[in-house]
């Protein structure tokens, strides 16, 4: 099952497998239910009306997006290069406790085909392709989408306390194109890849698999839910195993293609 969110006269409308759901359906209401009721709920609100309107980010305005950091060895290596306090990232990677941080509120999230931004006060910026979990009120993973956790490496590297500025700014988060319904057990070895094109030419390409994550998705979801309540669900980006070379930085006009399993999220960079 595949959920998408589309433009309509009242703002947005959800669809399932290419056909609209009833206009009164909301993702928040679905994520307030136990996972065992997800499919039955969707069948009850299904219609046969084709969903043809343009896509929006598959998230509602007041949903929160959180992120887990240093979950792949490649991410730890990149942080060691950029940071003046290198041992902190080794400690995060090896620790039992997960690094978690707030990334975006739903109304700030870009969707498929919409722009992402680089900060005007940063000179080293990269996209971070990530499996993004869709988690219900009870902390159960009910699906996933593709995510782009835009990051200013020089800002975070100069002082870890600047991480919110490196990670949280207008245009720093993209999700899409839709939500694949899945269980945590389905996510253990998904392919993730990224291409960055500049003036039509590929300037970077990389790939990884979710099996390279140090901690499984269910563990990351559990840590997020331990001391936080999300009555209408939450999104969790799970870290990146794809980091461009240290000499690379995004510039305005770059096109970013992120694949997570069958999903393709495309965004263009603006300043």
């Amino acid at each position: 099952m595949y959920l998408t969110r589309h433009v309509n006269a009242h703002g947005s409308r959800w669809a399932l497998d290419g056909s609209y759901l009833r206009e009164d359906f909301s993702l928040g209401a679905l994520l307030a239910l136990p996972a065992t009721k997800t499919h039955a709920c969707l069948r009850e609100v299904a219609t046969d009306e084709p969903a043809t309107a343009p896509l929006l980010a598959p998230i509602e305005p007041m949903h929160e997006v959180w992120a887990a950091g240093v979950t792949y060895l490649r991410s730890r290596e990149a942080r060691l290069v950029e940071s003046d306090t290198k041992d902190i990232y080794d400690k995060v990677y090896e620790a039992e406790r997960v690094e978690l941080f707030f990334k975006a509120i739903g109304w700030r999230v870009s969707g498929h085909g919409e722009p992402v931004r680089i900060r005007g006060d940063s000179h080293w910026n990269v996209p971070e392709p990530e499996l993004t979990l869709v988690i219900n009120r009870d902390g159960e993973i009910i699906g996933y989408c593709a995510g782009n956790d835009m990051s200013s490496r020089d800002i975070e590297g100069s002082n870890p306390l600047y991480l919110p500025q490196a990670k949280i700014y207008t245009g720093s988060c993209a999700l899409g194109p839709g939500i694949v319904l899945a269980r945590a057990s389905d996510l253990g070895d998904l392919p993730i890849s990224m291409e960055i094109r500049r003036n039509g030419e590929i300037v970077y390409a990389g790939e990884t698999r979710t099996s390279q994550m140090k901690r499984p998705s269910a563990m990351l979801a559990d840590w997020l839910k331990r001391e936080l309540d999300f009555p209408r669900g939450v999104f969790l980006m799970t870290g990146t195993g794809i980091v461009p070379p240290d000499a690379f930085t995004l510039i305005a006009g770059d096109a970013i293609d992120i694949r997570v399993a069958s999903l393709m999220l495309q965004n263009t960079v603006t300043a």
Side-chain angles (χ1 to χ4, degrees):
M1 292 178 131
Y2 180 56
L3 283 168
T4 49
R5 181 170 164 255
H6 301 259
V7 175
N8 84 343
H10 306 292
S12 66
R13 187 173 177 184
W14 287 92
L16 176 68
D17 296 332
S19 295
Y20 283 122
L21 298 174
R22 281 193 337 227
E23 290 199 32
D24 60 350
F25 171 81
S26 77
L27 181 66
L30 180 72
L31 297 181
L33 299 174
T36 53
K37 296 186 177 180
T38 299
H39 287 214
C41 172
L42 291 171
R43 286 192 293 267
E44 288 177 4
V45 296
T47 77
D48 57 4
E49 182 184 354
T52 57
L55 288 171
L56 293 169
I59 188 170
E60 291 176 340
M62 297 312 295
H63 273 127
E64 297 177 18
V65 183
W66 285 69
V70 201
T71 57
Y72 290 79
L73 179 62
R74 179 67 184 97
S75 181
R76 184 196 71 169
E77 292 170 345
R79 299 301 182 265
L80 292 178
V81 168
E82 74 191 23
S83 179
D84 296 329
T85 51
K86 300 181 186 301
D87 65 326
I88 193 171
Y89 294 101
D90 260 333
K91 290 178 179 178
V92 168
Y93 185 76
E94 298 296 342
E96 176 187 358
R97 182 178 295 275
V98 174
E99 179 198 8
L100 294 166
F101 56 90
F102 179 77
K103 178 66 182 177
I105 193 73
W107 60 265
R108 270 209 182 96
V109 175
S110 299
H112 176 72
E114 295 182 331
V116 291
R117 289 184 60 251
I118 51 179
R119 289 186 64 113
D121 57 358
S122 170
H123 63 265
W124 190 10
N125 297 278
V126 295
E128 296 189 359
E130 306 193 15
L131 169 72
T132 302
L133 309 176
V134 183
I135 301 169
N136 70 12
R137 175 196 64 190
D138 299 323
E140 300 170 295
I141 296 168
I142 66 99
Y144 67 90
C145 58
N148 182 357
D149 172 17
M150 295 282 287
S151 299
S152 297
R153 293 185 66 183
D154 56 327
I155 293 175
E156 181 182 359
S158 64
N159 190 319
L161 294 179
Y162 296 159
L163 182 140
Q165 295 173 72
K167 294 284 192 177
I168 307 168
Y169 58 89
T170 300
S172 69
C173 180
L175 298 176
I179 297 169
V180 175
L181 296 189
R183 300 166 297 181
S185 58
D186 300 324
L187 309 182
D189 192 34
L190 298 181
I192 301 176
S193 63
M194 178 173 69
E195 285 187 355
I196 303 171
R197 287 174 282 109
R198 183 171 295 166
N199 300 320
E201 300 290 331
I202 296 174
V203 292
Y204 175 76
E207 59 185 19
T208 189
R209 303 188 73 89
T210 56
S211 55
Q212 298 303 303
M213 291 170 60
K214 180 177 175 64
R215 303 170 178 91
S217 295
M219 180 184 292
L220 299 179
D222 177 69
W223 273 99
L224 179 63
K225 186 68 172 58
R226 286 192 182 191
E227 296 293 335
L228 282 170
D229 294 328
F230 301 100
R232 296 177 72 81
V234 65
F235 289 68
L236 177 60
M237 304 179 108
T238 58
T240 190
I242 303 174
V243 181
D246 299 334
F248 178 88
T249 187
L250 290 168
I251 63 173
D254 285 353
I256 305 165
D257 294 350
I258 291 172
R259 291 185 182 273
V260 177
S262 63
L263 299 177
M264 166 74 92
L265 172 63
Q266 297 178 308
N267 303 101
T268 300
V269 177
T270 61

